[in-house]
Amino acid sequence: MHFEVKVEVSPREGIANPEGSTIERALPALGFVTASNVRVGKVIRLRVEADSSDDAKSLVEDMCNRFLSNPVIEDSQVEVLQG
Amino acid sequence: MHFEVKVEVSPREGIANPEGSTIERALPALGFVTASNVRVGKVIRLRVEADSSDDAKSLVEDMCNRFLSNPVIEDSQVEVLQG
Amino acid sequence: MSQRIGVVRFPGTNCEFDTIDAIRALDGEAEVLWHGQSDLKNVDAIVIPGGFAHGDYLRCGAIAKFSPVMDSITSFAEDGGPVLGICNGFQVLTEVGLLPGALQKNAGMKFLCSMQQIEFASTSNVLGQQASVGDRLMIPINHFEGNYVCAPEVLTEMEAENRIVFRYTDNPNGSLADIAGICNQAGNVVGMMPHPERATSRLLGSTDGIGLLRSLLAA
Amino acid sequence: MSPAPEDASVHRALGLSDDEYQRIYELLERHPNHLELAMYSVMWSEHCSYKSSKIHLKRLPTQAPWVLVGPGENAGVIDVGDDIAVAIRIESHNHPSAIEPYQGAATGVGGILRDIFTMGARPIAVMDPLRFGPIDDPRSRWIAEGVISGVSGYGNSVGVPTVGGEIVFDETYKGNPLVNVLAMGVLPTERLVLGQASGVGNLAVLLGASTGRDGIGGVSVLASAGFDESSEDIDKRPSVQVGDPFEEKRLLEACLELLDQGLVSGIQDLGGAGITCATSETASRGGAGMDVDVTAIHARENNMEPFELMTSESQERMLAIIKPEDLAHVEEISARWEIQASVIGRVTGTGQLRILDGFDGDVLASLPASTLHDDAPEYKRPIAPPADLGERRAQDASQGPVDCINNLLSLLRDPAWVYSQYDHQLFLNTVVGPGNDGTLLRLRNPRNGQETGRGIALSTDGNHRWCHVDPRQGTAMVVAEAVMNIACVGAQPLAVVNCLNFGNPEHPEVMWQLAEAVDGMAEACVAFNAPVIGGNVSLYNETNAVDIAPTPVVGVIGMHPSLTTPPPSIGFPPNASLLLLGQVPDTDVSLAGSQWAWEIGGCKDGTLPTFDLQQAVRTSQFVAESVQKQQLLAIHDIAEGGLAVAAAEMAIDSGFGAQIVDHCDHVSMFNESGGRFLAVVGDELLDDFLKDAKRHDVPAIQIGRTGGTSLNFGTEIIIPVSELETAYRTELPEALGLGTVNT
Ligand SMILES: Nc1ncnc2c1ncn2[C@@H]1O[C@H](COP(=O)(O)OP(=O)(O)O)[C@@H](O)[C@H]1O
Ligand SMILES: [Mg+2]
């Protein structure tokens, strides 16, 4: 069975996020509304073959821990969107 | 009022996504399950000040189209998470 | 005496031949080590050079860390073999866990190519054999992801163990504690963002990298 | 007269005129089908066929004994001795960059690199002459920032240093930026390969990225059933191409390895017009034909139509012509570099390019390969100088709010914010990098890395102001400026490449500008003995029917014969004599075409100062030799912003000032008379140097002394170097450093 899976990789709490801070600094200067707590992460969407939604989730979680994210600086969340 | 907003910026359908393709190619070689349709985008979380949830949404949408993404090659989706 | 140096080549690596040229100019021998092969060809030391291994896609070093050659290098390093990661090589070493922490995007969110002054903060490692703490060197940097981060307790530990090898005198990228290079506990594995191979000729503006490479050759 | 096509809207929608349709009919002796029309339409486009400019380009000098390959191939190639050849090419990516600046610039870099390794050369340098709308215009800033990031993102990652370029902001480029990219590579002379297919039975292998619906552009009208109903699908077609530097890097390494092993008899990059162009060009250059199987093309998307596969401009692809018995070896090398390789064609002896649905399947198109380019139309478009040329030339460009100190401060701009984002040191060749005049690279043997003891110098230059005032003299001055830049690093010119960025060729005034510019370039190239070995023409640079100012950009390549010590910097040393070399401005010195007149005085016309081309030749030759003999403490040519800006840049570079006598009125400070340098000579060498200059018939006058903490012009204009430096360093970071908005 095919499953569409979404992985969100986000900078860990407490770790500086240069991309977010740069956006935060730029916003008022560029005439946008001021924002705070800006954090930029990645979202990876993929389709995998698995026997069940739970299987798909654990397959991708493993991939996530070992490959898609770096636990030193990133957290990740896996969501199975549809079968 | 404060609103937590989430923006997802993803490559438009039909537009090449080299990062996704590279990950796709790498996965089986790295011993992971084979995946297809791998697409990598960005997710930006931020907190803005606005009068209403709708306002927050349109403020961030504008920011998105003019600053955070280029609509010519990227789609973006803004979601107000909570007030 | 490490006379033969293995220089790793991943698809996307681009400083491998510069590094080899610099080593040969110091009368060292150099061999290319292809990422897909685990044979280290009996080299005495290893350099993981700069570039964009696997395009730096996903994260710098994320794909490279799975290469057969990296498994062999991990064992080599654990046995005390000298390993130097330059720029992208430093990023790979943190990804495989031979060095702690990670390298994030520069604080200014721009790629930076410039001559930079760094200072030896510790010499008890494979690069410091001919140097003294406080020595200042002019070495070019060339990276987008050179902003070193690690957990506070890791920093405390590295400082206590004298494992900060280089600090920037004028931090260009937001690196924690001005870190430009670190080493492992034994001092045989060093990672640094600046490129010593780019500082080996007067015509090119600096020769301050020669001492570092000599030290590696002698390790 | 042939019968009219069934539906004339088809070829018109594809951008082919009725006359062009007739021509196709005559060549085929029948009506073309849609696929054939699509192929002609892309190949006969202005971009691929040069149909408006060809007739003028013929007037450029292209020959010299050291020229191995001149215009017409993917890149020009010169012999630089020691069995080393150098390939060089410049191209524009203006229109794509206006829509998606990052990808437009990135794919521009990718494209020009393929032109270089197609010739068998390893690319070792990129330069990026860039032009944008005013820096206070938000959209122009957004474009500039994106373009610079794109050059940086792609160039750094693909692993070719960007060693110089230009950055210009002007109203004329608002809405139509100019993104030109030059690349240079080195190869062992015997490895030179040309883009040609020969040997009946040989295979055409498509290497690299899969083919998607990228850049199908105009041809995509064929996708909708009727041409009058607007189809939503068309808008969704990604005409924007996304670059993948990692794919390009692997493709480059694989191709160089294939060439090194002698496995390739012809190779051609895929650029404009994609597979159509690559297959027809290789076949017709080799005097052969080719059968192409569209089903063999590795595609990124399902259900692609043959016309899409044949015209797609997907990036990072190459076509190699190989012998059947070498296929396994080619596949092995491709696999090692993780690139796809598909046999899509076979060389035939018929001269026909046939597109097949499977090698044994239906014939989808069949046309004589050479007709796609050799028979492309050539237009002699009407030419007319502007009607008010006389009036324009009579204007006085020296009027305006004269305030020499503040005028000077406002003309200063440090490009470091741009080039510090580019790896400019990779390959350990960069002796003089960006931030000076010419770029100087060590020339090493591409076979073994051995130093030759010589250097290759490069400079790219353009000047729309000079060329607007007088396209002919302006262009000659642009060539001279590029030569003067490389003279500053001790090099003399060997060859020129050019990118002709002009407006709409259907405007007679634009064709006049183009014709004049070509003549000016030809005169200068003859005078400097530097033939034109390649180039690119970019027309239709206009916004709302207003043409850009004519902007021919040239790249000059030169040789430093004995590179043992770095050339002098541009910075003032303390306590030495400051000399003005070159053409001595005489009575008709004028501010016309100067940066001062455009940006401060507000006058864009007038008559350029007299320019003595032969004097410029003598002066730059003398400077190059003086640099080689290490007689100079500092050297800088005088260009945009005139003597005052040149002196300020020298002061900022070292932190030392200078006291300049006279030259304290705005005309002397800011005029841009061509062919002049500021040189600094030590006291002990001064007499000999002046005699030497005289012997070479080079005017040299001592205009002051260096040292101190301020830059003085006469006794009243005194500017602390620190103030110059602040003005110089802050402009770009303040405008672009925080990010930009798409408006
Ligand atoms: N876009 C750019 N990319 C790289 N280098 C640049 C760029 N713009 C300017 N430079 C570098 O800055 C220096 C000064 O540029 P410019 O003022 O155009 O020089 P010149 O007037 O001598 O032709 C040159 O070395 C040039 O190569
Ligand atoms: Mg100059």
Side-chain angles (χ1 to χ4, degrees):
Chain A
M1 260 161 84
H2 282 318
F3 293 90
E4 300 289 337
V5 185
K6 181 173 121 175
V7 179
E8 191 180 324
V9 177
S10 46
R12 279 183 74 164
E13 219 33 73
I15 293 272
N17 181 234
E19 214 162 343
S21 326
T22 306
I23 293 176
E24 197 167 312
R25 248 180 299 130
L27 288 174
L30 299 178
F32 292 108
V33 65
T34 305
S36 55
N37 274 14
V38 185
R39 315 278 289 167
V40 179
K42 264 185 296 222
V43 52
I44 304 159
R45 289 167 181 273
L46 36 84
R47 179 186 297 163
V48 294
E49 185 73 34
D51 291 337
S52 69
S53 166
D54 282 354
D55 265 15
K57 185 160 181 182
S58 72
L59 277 172
V60 177
E61 271 173 350
D62 170 54
M63 192 188 286
C64 224
N65 293 333
R66 297 197 292 133
F67 176 48
L68 297 179
S69 74
N70 177 353
V72 175
I73 46 170
E74 293 166 331
D75 287 323
S76 61
Q77 242 194 331
V78 176
E79 196 183 331
V80 178
L81 299 178
Q82 65 182 87
Chain B
M1 259 161 82
H2 284 318
F3 293 90
E4 301 288 336
V5 186
K6 183 173 116 174
V7 181
E8 194 180 321
V9 179
S10 47
R12 277 181 68 170
E13 209 44 63
I15 294 269
N17 184 235
E19 185 157 20
S21 326
T22 304
I23 294 172
E24 190 168 317
R25 233 188 13 253
L27 285 172
L30 306 184
F32 294 106
V33 66
T34 304
S36 56
N37 273 17
V38 183
R39 313 277 288 169
V40 180
K42 256 192 315 209
V43 50
I44 303 156
R45 288 165 182 273
L46 39 82
R47 178 186 297 163
V48 293
E49 185 74 33
D51 290 338
S52 69
S53 166
D54 282 355
D55 266 15
K57 185 162 181 181
S58 72
L59 279 171
V60 176
E61 271 171 351
D62 172 53
M63 186 188 290
C64 214
N65 289 330
R66 299 199 295 133
F67 177 54
L68 300 175
S69 76
N70 182 359
V72 174
I73 51 167
E74 292 165 328
D75 286 324
S76 55
Q77 241 192 334
V78 175
E79 194 183 333
V80 179
L81 299 178
Q82 65 181 88
Chain C
M1 236 348 221
S2 310
Q3 288 294 357
R4 280 181 66 236
I5 304 215
V7 178
V8 179
R9 188 179 203 196
F10 299 104
T13 297
N14 61 33
C15 297
E16 67 273 46
F17 296 110
D18 293 0
T19 307
I20 289 173
D21 285 347
I23 291 167
R24 289 191 180 145
L26 300 175
D27 293 326
E29 277 177 51
E31 291 257 5
V32 172
L33 301 176
W34 181 246
H35 73 114
Q37 280 161 3
S38 44
D39 179 10
L40 299 185
K41 300 184 181 170
N42 277 319
V43 295
D44 306 301
I46 285 177
V47 176
I48 309 177
F52 290 71
H54 297 275
D56 275 358
Y57 286 140
L58 191 58
R59 286 185 316 282
C60 309
I63 301 178
K65 79 169 165 184
F66 291 96
S67 305
V69 77
M70 285 316 299
D71 288 340
S72 309
I73 290 175
T74 301
S75 319
F76 177 84
E78 282 163 0
D79 294 343
V83 177
L84 168 62
I86 300 170
C87 195
N88 199 226
F90 184 11
Q91 295 160 347
V92 172
L93 289 175
T94 61
E95 274 285 332
V96 296
L98 283 171
L99 292 174
L103 292 139
Q104 290 221 55
K105 295 203 165 90
N106 296 340
M109 284 303 290
K110 291 287 171 213
F111 190 97
L112 288 174
C113 178
S114 61
M115 189 61 97
Q116 208 68 39
Q117 189 179 55
I118 56 174
E119 187 175 280
F120 256 111
S122 158
T123 54
S124 41
N125 55 69
V126 286
L127 290 194
Q129 325 241 337
Q130 313 184 348
S132 314
V133 171
D135 281 0
R136 293 187 160 195
L137 312 173
M138 295 301 290
I139 315 260
I141 58 164
N142 186 67
H143 58 246
F144 203 147
E145 281 101 352
N147 180 352
Y148 184 80
V149 280
C150 67
E153 59 280 11
V154 175
L155 179 64
T156 313
E157 185 186 300
M158 283 201 295
E159 278 176 334
E161 293 173 351
N162 256 324
R163 288 168 52 196
I164 315 289
V165 181
F166 300 110
R167 294 187 204 268
Y168 299 108
T169 58
D170 184 10
N171 190 339
N173 56 22
S175 240
L176 181 69
D178 301 325
I179 287 175
I182 57 172
C183 64
N184 65 350
Q185 262 169 334
N188 63 313
V189 179
V190 175
M192 62 188 295
M193 287 315 294
H195 286 255
E197 83 281 7
R198 295 189 177 191
T200 54
S201 151
R202 203 176 66 83
L203 260 183
L204 306 181
S206 170
T207 52
D208 291 355
I210 291 180
L212 306 182
L213 295 178
R214 281 239 163 85
S215 173
L216 182 72
L217 280 165
Chain D
M1 200 59 193
S2 56
E6 245 169 69
D7 180 358
S9 70
V10 182
H11 70 254
R12 288 183 197 149
L14 289 172
L16 290 165
S17 69
D18 292 350
D19 285 346
E20 288 168 345
Y21 186 91
Q22 289 302 327
R23 203 180 168 94
I24 295 167
Y25 183 92
E26 281 155 25
L27 288 166
L28 296 182
E29 296 170 356
R30 61 175 165 81
H31 287 293
N33 64 32
H34 282 192
L35 174 57
E36 289 163 343
L37 262 186
M39 291 166 70
Y40 278 106
S41 91
V42 291
M43 288 301 292
W44 287 10
S45 66
E46 188 64 57
H47 176 76
C48 291
S49 72
Y50 295 85
K51 57 190 171 192
S52 300
S53 55
K54 231 193 265 177
I55 162 168
H56 298 289
L57 298 178
K58 288 175 186 155
R59 298 199 298 275
L60 293 169
T62 59
Q63 314 252 306
W66 53 90
V67 175
L68 298 176
V69 178
E73 277 276 351
N74 296 295
V77 182
I78 54 173
D79 183 343
V80 294
D82 294 333
D83 298 318
I84 305 169
V86 170
I88 186 168
R89 173 88 199 266
I90 188 168
E91 221 175 33
S92 64
H93 234 218
N94 305 338
H95 295 128
S97 304
I99 302 164
E100 214 305 310
Y102 184 101
Q103 296 299 343
T107 52
V109 173
I112 195 71
L113 292 177
R114 289 191 293 280
D115 280 327
I116 298 302
F117 65 84
T118 295
M119 306 304 294
R122 175 175 285 279
I124 62 164
V126 165
M127 313 251 288
D128 64 336
L130 307 176
R131 291 173 164 75
F132 306 108
I135 201 164
D136 55 16
D137 166 45
R139 184 165 177 89
S140 299
R141 281 202 302 268
W142 177 75
I143 294 175
E145 215 252 1
V147 163
I148 293 161
S149 303
V151 173
S152 163
Y154 198 101
N156 297 341
S157 175
V158 76
V160 181
T162 301
V163 299
E166 287 176 277
I167 180 152
V168 175
F169 296 90
D170 192 283
E171 189 67 34
T172 192
Y173 307 116
K174 192 171 174 174
N176 196 122
L178 300 185
V179 175
N180 294 175
V181 232
L182 171 148
M184 188 268 271
V186 288
L187 67 153
T189 307
E190 84 274 1
R191 197 170 71 192
L192 182 61
V193 275
L194 301 178
Q196 50 181 251
S198 52
V200 172
N202 279 350
L203 305 178
V205 183
L206 181 64
L207 300 167
S210 342
T211 300
R213 293 194 168 94
D214 316 66
I216 285 173
V219 183
S220 63
V221 292
L222 284 179
S224 62
F227 296 99
D228 30 25
E229 62 198 58
S230 81
S231 161
E232 290 245 318
D233 285 354
I234 293 173
D235 301 334
K236 291 214 196 87
R237 266 167 220 290
S239 60
V240 177
Q241 301 147 43
V242 170
D244 181 355
F246 179 48
E247 178 84 35
E248 178 105 336
K249 168 71 172 167
R250 293 178 351 262
L251 182 62
L252 183 165
E253 296 296 343
C255 288
L256 292 179
E257 200 168 320
L258 293 174
L259 289 161
D260 258 339
Q261 312 238 351
L263 297 170
V264 169
S265 64
I267 188 163
Q268 167 80 33
D269 63 301
L270 277 78
I275 296 176
T276 301
C277 180
T279 51
S280 65
E281 279 197 8
T282 46
S284 72
R285 283 203 196 107
M290 197 176 292
D291 280 355
V292 176
D293 172 8
V294 275
T295 65
I297 298 169
H298 46 271
R300 195 171 72 229
E301 293 167 72
N302 297 327
N303 313 322
M304 283 181 66
E305 298 286 334
F307 79 85
E308 294 177 310
L309 291 162
M310 287 306 295
T311 62
S312 158
E313 298 186 355
S314 286
Q315 298 290 303
E316 288 98 21
R317 299 178 300 161
M318 299 283 280
L319 188 75
I321 311 297
I322 65 163
K323 296 203 189 85
E325 59 269 31
D326 290 330
L327 181 60
H329 198 169
V330 169
E331 284 173 338
E332 183 259 311
I333 290 174
S334 305
R336 185 145 36 79
W337 286 105
E338 300 172 30
I339 61 163
Q340 298 182 76
S342 312
V343 175
I344 65 157
R346 289 186 189 145
V347 179
T348 63
T350 62
Q352 286 289 114
L353 176 63
R354 298 200 306 161
I355 311 304
L356 310 170
D357 187 15
F359 277 120
D360 302 317
D362 291 346
V363 177
L364 305 175
S366 177
L367 29 88
S370 62
T371 59
L372 286 169
H373 36 105
D374 294 350
D375 293 312
E378 214 173 282
Y379 291 131
K380 194 168 178 209
R381 297 199 184 271
I383 289 186
D388 58 350
L389 189 61
E391 260 162 72
R392 288 197 202 172
R393 296 226 162 135
Q395 286 187 30
D396 175 6
S398 66
Q399 302 300 310
V402 177
D403 171 354
C404 290
I405 293 182
N406 286 311
N407 292 167
L408 173 55
L409 293 173
S410 77
L411 294 176
L412 298 174
R413 173 180 306 133
D414 180 8
W417 188 83
V418 180
Y419 64 73
S420 64
Q421 297 181 46
Y422 303 157
D423 182 349
H424 46 81
Q425 302 166 324
L426 186 67
F427 301 142
L428 308 186
N429 292 325
T430 313
V431 178
V432 179
N436 301 280
D437 288 310
T439 292
L440 183 62
L441 307 176
R442 294 198 287 184
L443 174 63
R444 294 191 294 155
N445 192 314
R447 273 265 181 258
N448 53 24
Q450 292 291 307
E451 290 199 45
T452 59
R454 295 180 292 138
I456 289 287
L458 293 167
S459 179
T460 59
D461 290 277
N463 192 308
H464 62 288
R465 304 184 202 97
W466 301 343
C467 294
H468 167 86
V469 174
D470 183 341
R472 184 173 187 138
Q473 182 181 326
T475 305
M477 287 169 65
V478 163
V479 175
E481 193 201 336
V483 171
M484 289 160 59
N485 276 326
I486 65 165
C488 290
V489 296
Q492 276 161 8
L494 290 172
V496 168
V497 290
N498 71 96
C499 196
L500 301 175
N501 306 280
F502 286 79
N504 185 336
E506 293 152 36
H507 299 166
E509 179 177 339
V510 169
M511 286 313 294
W512 172 78
Q513 294 166 343
L514 184 95
E516 289 282 294
V518 165
D519 288 334
M521 187 178 298
E523 280 161 20
C525 290
V526 167
F528 287 108
N529 196 18
V532 175
I533 58 169
N536 173 246
V537 180
S538 170
L539 301 176
Y540 298 100
N541 292 291
E542 56 184 345
T543 318
N544 304 328
V546 178
D547 296 304
I548 60 160
T551 314
V553 170
V554 300
V556 162
I557 180 167
M559 169 78 64
H560 186 308
S562 65
L563 182 54
T564 49
T565 34
S569 78
I570 72 171
F572 283 144
N575 263 321
S577 294
L578 178 60
L579 308 179
L580 176 61
L581 305 182
Q583 192 174 18
V584 181
D586 46 40
T587 43
D588 67 351
V589 60
S590 145
L591 280 168
S594 69
Q595 199 183 353
W596 188 94
W598 279 49
E599 291 179 9
I600 293 166
C603 172
K604 300 192 171 179
D605 293 291
T607 301
L608 289 179
T610 315
F611 177 59
D612 181 343
L613 186 54
Q614 292 309 326
Q615 182 64 66
V617 172
R618 285 195 297 277
T619 310
S620 43
Q621 208 157 10
F622 175 68
V623 166
E625 281 164 15
S626 306
V627 169
Q628 289 159 20
K629 288 189 271 178
Q630 299 174 37
Q631 289 174 324
L632 303 175
L633 296 176
I635 182 80
H636 193 23
D637 70 309
I638 297 178
E640 291 186 318
L643 184 148
V645 165
E649 287 169 350
M650 297 177 85
I652 292 161
D653 189 71
S654 67
F656 290 108
Q659 294 72 51
I660 296 173
V661 291
D662 305 330
H663 300 93
C664 48
D665 61 286
H666 75 294
V667 178
S668 315
M669 286 173 72
F670 301 114
N671 85 75
E672 297 177 11
S673 288
R676 299 179 302 158
F677 294 82
L678 283 178
V680 181
V681 179
D683 291 337
E684 62 300 342
L685 285 180
L686 185 63
D687 284 345
D688 287 347
F689 184 83
L690 290 173
K691 273 186 218 143
D692 224 18
K694 190 160 195 158
R695 216 180 38 248
H696 286 84
D697 195 8
V698 171
I701 50 172
Q702 195 170 348
I703 62 164
R705 283 192 73 75
T706 62
T709 57
S710 64
L711 179 63
N712 306 357
F713 297 86
T715 50
E716 316 245 296
I717 300 174
I718 297 173
I719 317 170
V721 178
S722 58
E723 222 174 287
L724 293 170
E725 175 156 9
T726 307
Y728 181 71
R729 303 266 184 236
T730 50
E731 189 185 7
L732 282 183
E734 281 182 1
L736 301 172
L738 258 185
T740 52
V741 209
N742 178 6
T743 53

